Structure formats: structure tokens, C-alpha cells
């Protein structure tokens, strides 16, 4: 069922926004419950913080067809090219990495020869910025192996930050 709600972001207030909910998830890092859904046109996926929603009510019409919504979500899934991380066993990095990405589908294994964990994150493209922020937070114990565009975004962010302190 779709819902109408008011949504407050840092820069804007959306009133009577029509949302098609997909999934509710909890982030142990931000300690927030979030709702993933789409807008009325089913052209974009949005991430809403539950505590910033108000005046929520179920819409009696305007429901999106389940197959259309499923198709929309699947198109945004980055299954073919997961983010691959190498995690060194220092500063509780392995535990911190698993906690940071607890709400994301992943696989991992331990590489005995190189003494590190390798984790693959299967994510939705709308989660990309959040994932990059979490990787930066984890520091030098984490190396992004692929994809190249994620590595480049991390390099760009680090370079912009360094320029602030030159």
C-alpha cells in the first residue's frame, strides 16, 4: 500500500508526498530506522528517515503495481559489480566493517595467504554515497578493490578534504 506523508529533510519540507514503501531497515551506526520507497512516478528510489516523517496515512487509491515496483528496484541493484573490500585485521576493522554494513547484502571470506578478509557488498545504486561515507569512516584498514568508479569517488573525496588543509 502506498502512503501519504510529510517528510522533512535538511533543506526541504515535502508535504503530502506520495510514497510507495519497499523496505524498512535499521542502521546501528546512525541509530535510525529508515524507509526505502519510490515516489509517485516510480522514477527514483528514496531513503526516508522514519523519525522525520509526520502525518502518515495509507492512501486508498494510487497504488503502484507490485511487478512495476519490483522491476524498478531490481534495475537499481548493483549485483553484477559489487563493491569489493579488503579488510586488514587491525583496530577492530573486521568487526567495525561488518557492523557498518549490517543492513547490506554481502559475502565474505578469509584469505589465509594474505591474512585479510575480503568482503563483497551487493547494493542498490541509491546506497552508494552512504557506503562511500562508511568506507571513509573505516580508515586505512580498508582497501576498495573494485569497482573503479567507487575507488575514484573515494580518491576525489580525500583529495578535496586535503585541499582544505593545504
Amino acid at each position: 500500500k502506498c502512503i501519504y506523508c510529510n517528510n522533512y529533510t535538511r533543506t526541504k519540507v515535502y508535504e503530502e508526498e506520495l510514497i510507495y514503501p519497499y523496505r524498512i531497515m535499521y542502521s546501528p551506526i546512525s541509530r535510525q530506522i529508515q524507509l526505502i520507497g519510490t515516489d509517485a512516478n516510480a522514477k527514483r528510489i528514496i531513503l526516508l528517515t522514519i523519525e522525520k516523517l509526520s502525518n502518515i496515512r495509507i492512501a486508498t487509491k494510487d497504488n503502484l503495481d507490485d511487478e512495476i515496483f519490483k522491476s524498478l528496484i531490481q534495475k537499481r541493484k548493483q549485483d553484477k559489480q559489487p563493491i569489493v573490500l579488503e579488510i586488514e585485521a587491525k583496530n577492530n576493522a573486521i568487526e567495525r566493517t561488518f557492523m557498518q554494513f549490517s543492513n547490506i547484502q554481502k559475502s565474505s571470506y578469509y584469505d589465509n595467504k594474505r591474512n585479510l578478509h575480503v568482503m563483497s557488498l551487493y547494493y542498490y545504486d541509491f546506497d552508494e554515497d552512504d557506503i562511500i561515507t562508511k568506507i571513509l569512516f573505516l580508515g586505512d584498514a580498508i582497501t576498495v578493490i573494485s569497482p573503479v568508479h567507487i575507488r575514484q569517488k573515494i580518491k576525489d573525496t580525500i583529495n578535496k578534504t586535503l585541499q582544505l588543509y593545504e
Side-chain angles (χ1 to χ4, degrees), residues 11-106:
T11 57
K12 195 170 181 180
V13 175
Y14 299 90
E15 293 189 8
E16 292 296 305
E17 189 172 23
L18 184 61
I19 304 291
Y20 299 94
Y22 169 64
R23 180 176 74 196
I24 293 177
M25 65 182 187
Y26 175 73
S27 170
I29 303 306
S30 66
R31 294 186 177 130
Q32 294 179 331
I33 299 173
Q34 298 172 317
L35 171 69
I36 296 174
T38 186
D39 63 355
N41 299 318
K43 295 197 191 255
R44 66 184 180 102
I45 301 295
I46 52 181
L47 184 62
L48 305 150
T49 301
I50 296 286
E51 67 184 25
K52 294 183 179 180
L53 300 179
S54 65
N55 197 25
I56 302 169
R57 65 186 195 287
I58 295 175
T60 55
K61 55 182 179 174
D62 300 319
N63 283 310
L64 186 64
D65 180 83
D66 288 344
E67 289 305 313
I68 292 172
F69 189 69
K70 184 178 177 181
S71 171
L72 174 68
I73 290 290
Q74 283 308 112
K75 287 178 189 173
R76 307 293 297 270
K77 185 91 170 165
Q78 302 298 306
D79 282 339
K80 293 176 184 74
Q81 194 173 21
I83 296 174
V84 179
L85 307 173
E86 289 183 345
I87 311 159
E88 295 178 38
K90 65 179 187 181
N91 301 326
N92 296 325
I94 296 164
E95 294 85 357
R96 291 185 307 121
T97 303
F98 274 92
M99 189 170 90
Q100 286 284 348
F101 300 116
S102 63
N103 62 338
I104 294 178
Q105 182 184 356
K106 65 192 135 319

Side-chain angles (χ1 to χ4, degrees), residues 120-158:
S120 297
L121 302 173
Y122 303 94
Y123 66 103
Y124 296 98
D125 60 1
F126 51 83
D127 288 329
E128 195 170 278
D129 290 338
D130 184 50
I131 291 171
I132 289 170
T133 300
K134 289 176 179 178
I135 290 169
L136 289 166
F137 175 77
L138 291 164
D140 67 348
I142 308 297
T143 303
V144 177
I145 302 306
S146 64
V148 173
H149 81 278
I150 297 292
R151 287 177 57 91
Q152 189 60 50
K153 284 184 176 185
I154 289 171
K155 286 179 186 178
D156 292 346
T157 301
I158 292 170

